[in-house]
Amino acid sequence: MYLSLPKNGGIISQIDISIMKKKVAFYTLGCKLNFSETSTIARGFKEEGFERVDFSEPADMYVINTCSVTDNADKRFKTIVKNAQKANPAAFVAAIGCYAQLKPEELAAVDGVDLVLGATEKFKITDYINDLTKNDFGEIHSCEIEDADFYVGSYAIGDRTRAFLKVQDGCDYKCTYCTIPLARGISRSDTLSNVLKNAAEIAAKGIKEIVLTGVNIGDYGKGEFGNKKHEHTFLDLVKALDAVKGIHRLRISSIEPNLLKNETINFVAQSNSFVPHFHIPLQSGSDAILKLMRRRYLSDLYIDRVKRIKEVMPHACIGVDVIVGFPGETDEHFLETYHFLNALDISYLHVFTYSERDNTEAAVMEGVVPKNVRSKRSKMLRGLSVKKRRAFYESQLGTTRTVLFEGENKEGYIHGFTENYVKVKAPWNPALVNTLHEVELTQIDADGLVCFKSLSDDSETESVASAFV
């Protein structure tokens, strides 16, 4: 607020600068959960009269939603702050998210950062800003993680063709390498009624696919009404969402193998909306390493889950998270993981090179694996992932699938995914964005993507699809 004096004297008029529309930009690091929360926080800014712009554009305020799962995400933060300062040196810069909760002082010390908010404070960010004047030092508002015991619902729309719907937050597991419980607190869930309300809102906006997201979504129902008991199960959630009208596709994001029950797999196999795609963290194929990680399953259970999925959904896509270079992982342990994965009927891998995280048990374990060895093992598994994805794509040639096209023009092509997560491409046509088309998968191109021919009777689509054949 500032004051202006009339030239002819009289009463001082007060002019609130908030009437001037301010611009805000967002940058999100990390997981789908972060994207859902960024989108919800951005809607809060809009309600306060802000205009959202792209992060590369000049803005009055930049909000960076941070991640602390990998070293790379930490290191990128300083670069992102510098990019914001290039776009507008006078802009107010705020940091939120997991890294902001774990190491607020570290972020506040970065040149150009004005505000750092922790796990609960980030949802009230507009309460912590006034006139957007830059601070001499980064201001910190961060709770003790034990206080992060309430749930804030979120979903992401507008940024992508798919919507990310948050159903759960936090984690009660104690994996020895993970900082997420320290960054997000205990496991807690949205109420089933609110999840269904959010899903209906998303469907009403014409979005064709919803991805369920959370820290440990298989634990859904715990803390739903502020207590530790399960009012509903993950299967209850899946069944209820399947009945929501207007949703074309529902996709389950990463789910722990011990929480992916046969009943859920069987339901997905015959559901109206859930697609045959599962992403199941493994982390290691060696039982000895799984025990050091303090995972809640051994390799036999993982094999059972994969077999069950393929029994009822032979065409299902199965993605796997795996960590290489964990302390104590010998060459024999790694080869055990490699051969385990090679023998499994899976579709692709997400490979993470282990990195030490402060305040975790693994960071002080013996048997540290040299970084060059970690890198070599990571490269081997990434090569295996290419092989697995290629084999899965080849198994889908000649089949009929439904593709949902996304909204980006990439070098003259539009891309989309089938229900079982086969990535396809076609010549760019904006009319295809956010549309579903039944197609026959015909060939794999040099990029590893599947080209196809349309089976639609729609004449407009046929004219577009003629270039695909």
Side-chain angles (χ1 to χ4, degrees):
M1 181 178 291
Y2 65 86
L3 304 176
S4 65
L5 283 173
K7 291 181 180 179
N8 57 354
I11 299 174
I12 296 175
S13 63
Q14 296 186 353
I15 304 175
D16 190 342
I17 65 167
S18 65
I19 64 172
M20 300 169 59
K21 197 158 192 176
K22 297 292 184 180
K23 295 181 178 180
V24 61
F26 297 85
Y27 197 105
T28 304
L29 291 163
C31 61
K32 297 179 179 67
L33 182 56
N34 270 7
F35 278 97
S36 73
E37 291 179 344
T38 295
S39 188
T40 297
I41 291 167
R43 290 194 292 274
F45 271 90
K46 187 175 181 180
E47 291 171 1
E48 295 291 332
F50 282 76
E51 175 189 354
R52 183 175 181 178
V53 298
D54 188 83
F55 200 84
S56 62
E57 298 178 31
D60 300 287
M61 182 174 181
Y62 294 90
V63 180
I64 305 168
N65 196 352
T66 63
C67 170
S68 193
V69 172
T70 65
D71 274 334
N72 185 49
D74 291 357
K75 293 172 182 176
R76 287 180 63 190
F77 177 76
K78 289 182 180 180
T79 301
I80 296 165
V81 173
K82 287 181 181 178
N83 291 340
Q85 290 181 302
K86 286 180 183 177
N88 181 7
F92 192 89
V93 178
I96 62 174
C98 291
Y99 192 20
Q101 174 65 36
L102 291 171
K103 297 187 177 181
E105 293 85 3
E106 203 170 285
L107 290 189
V110 173
D111 184 45
V113 174
D114 301 288
L115 179 66
V116 179
L117 298 180
T120 62
E121 292 80 7
K122 63 187 175 185
F123 296 108
K124 301 175 287 185
I125 184 171
T126 55
D127 293 345
Y128 292 95
I129 58 176
N130 294 310
D131 59 0
L132 300 184
T133 300
K134 291 192 71 63
N135 294 324
D136 293 331
F137 303 98
E139 185 178 313
I140 297 172
H141 297 275
S142 181
C143 67
E144 295 297 325
I145 198 59
E146 291 78 12
D147 296 328
D149 57 359
F150 60 91
Y151 187 86
V152 178
S154 303
Y155 63 84
I157 57 172
D159 301 328
R160 296 163 179 256
T161 305
R162 299 184 297 278
F164 299 142
L165 173 58
K166 174 183 171 184
V167 300
Q168 184 273 342
D169 200 352
C171 187
D172 292 340
Y173 288 9
K174 305 297 181 184
C175 300
T176 55
Y177 54 84
C178 187
T179 59
I180 296 303
L182 301 174
R184 285 188 168 271
I186 61 173
S187 178
R188 54 208 189 273
S189 307
D190 202 351
T191 62
L192 183 59
S193 60
N194 196 55
V195 172
L196 298 179
K197 179 183 75 69
N198 286 341
E201 286 179 7
I202 293 169
K205 296 178 185 296
I207 294 173
K208 301 293 193 299
E209 180 174 309
I210 295 175
V211 182
L212 305 185
T213 186
V215 175
N216 188 1
I217 65 172
D219 202 28
Y220 175 79
K222 184 182 286 185
E224 185 180 348
F225 293 101
N227 54 53
K228 296 300 288 183
K229 66 178 290 190
H230 276 78
E231 298 294 336
H232 294 97
T233 65
F234 184 69
L235 180 59
D236 292 334
L237 173 70
V238 166
K239 287 181 175 179
L241 282 168
D242 198 54
V244 176
K245 296 188 182 299
I247 300 178
H248 295 266
R249 286 183 178 180
L250 286 157
R251 197 177 297 272
I252 299 171
S253 65
S254 181
I255 182 169
E256 294 288 304
N258 54 300
L259 296 175
L260 178 59
K261 306 299 185 182
N262 285 342
E263 293 83 357
T264 301
I265 295 170
N266 294 340
F267 183 82
V268 168
Q270 54 82 49
S271 72
N272 298 316
S273 305
F274 278 88
V275 296
H277 175 208
F278 296 87
H279 194 94
I280 315 171
L282 170 66
Q283 310 310 9
S284 177
S286 166
D287 286 345
I289 299 300
L290 287 174
K291 290 175 182 178
L292 286 175
M293 291 177 168
R294 206 179 291 156
R295 300 292 286 164
R296 296 197 178 191
Y297 55 87
L298 296 177
S299 57
D300 282 350
L301 183 141
Y302 200 93
I303 292 171
D304 288 344
R305 292 296 178 267
V306 171
K307 284 184 176 179
R308 182 59 187 166
I309 291 169
K310 287 296 186 176
E311 282 173 2
V312 295
M313 290 171 279
H315 59 296
C317 177
I318 301 176
V320 182
D321 286 342
V322 61
I323 297 172
V324 297
F326 188 80
E329 184 187 68
T330 63
D331 287 342
E332 291 75 18
H333 289 137
F334 171 71
L335 288 175
E336 191 177 354
T337 294
Y338 186 94
H339 294 309
F340 179 85
L341 290 166
N342 191 40
L344 273 180
D345 190 4
I346 57 174
S347 311
Y348 63 91
L349 305 173
H350 281 175
V351 183
F352 298 89
T353 303
Y354 172 76
S355 58
E356 288 77 3
R357 316 307 292 165
D358 290 343
N359 300 315
T360 62
E361 290 185 43
V364 294
M365 285 182 176
E366 297 179 353
V368 174
V369 179
K371 291 191 175 181
N372 66 314
V373 176
R374 300 182 207 181
S375 179
K376 179 181 177 181
R377 292 175 183 174
S378 177
K379 186 176 181 180
M380 287 179 66
L381 283 187
R382 292 180 196 279
L384 179 60
S385 181
V386 171
K387 172 186 169 184
K388 286 288 185 179
R389 191 184 296 272
R390 176 83 185 195
F392 176 64
Y393 278 17
E394 287 177 348
S395 75
Q396 297 303 298
L397 292 177
T399 64
T400 299
R401 301 286 177 232
T402 302
V403 61
L404 172 61
F405 285 105
E406 301 191 342
E408 189 176 355
N409 184 344
K410 294 183 179 179
E411 299 179 348
Y413 287 94
I414 187 170
H415 294 81
F417 286 91
T418 64
E419 61 270 41
N420 61 340
Y421 214 56
V422 174
K423 190 174 184 179
V424 300
K425 74 176 185 180
W428 167 254
N429 187 316
L432 294 176
V433 174
N434 196 35
T435 61
L436 290 158
H437 294 279
E438 190 180 52
V439 302
E440 180 183 351
L441 304 179
T442 56
Q443 66 183 52
I444 303 173
D445 73 4
D447 296 326
L449 307 177
V450 174
C451 303
F452 59 89
K453 64 180 180 180
S454 173
L455 299 179
S456 171
D457 293 328
D458 184 89
S459 58
E460 181 180 353
T461 304
E462 287 295 347
S463 66
V464 174
S466 63
F468 309 165
V469 180

